[in-house]
Amino acid sequence: MFSKEFLELLTDILKSWQVIAITIVLAIYMYIVSYVSRAHHRPMSVKKVKTSAKKEKVEQAPGPEETESSLDSNDELGLEEA
């Protein structure tokens, strides 16, 4: 199927120092990328607790300071409520 010369050329190319060096560099790069992605990955349980805490804060009614400040900002902009 392949000639003997072609197989010898292919093995010489695969054994060259450039191919070996690039392979090692790519392996180190993939190791670093996977390490960083694992380091920045948050566990699911912590994520659920944070989102439920945020929902509770959003569900609370705004205080009188918050409603007055929103009315003042509308007056400054010249907006009218419908």
Side-chain angles (χ1 to χ4, degrees), residues 15-64:
K15 289 181 182 179
S16 69
W17 69 270
Q18 293 96 343
V19 172
I20 294 171
I22 295 297
T23 304
I24 291 171
V25 168
L26 285 175
I28 292 171
Y29 176 76
M30 293 301 292
Y31 174 77
I32 291 171
V33 168
S34 66
Y35 176 79
V36 170
S37 68
R38 277 185 269 132
H40 289 288
H41 179 71
R42 289 186 237 157
M44 291 299 288
S45 61
V46 173
K47 195 174 187 179
K48 288 181 182 178
V49 171
K50 287 183 179 181
T51 56
S52 64
K54 287 181 183 178
K55 287 180 182 178
E56 290 175 4
K57 289 181 182 178
V58 171
E59 290 175 359
Q60 294 175 355

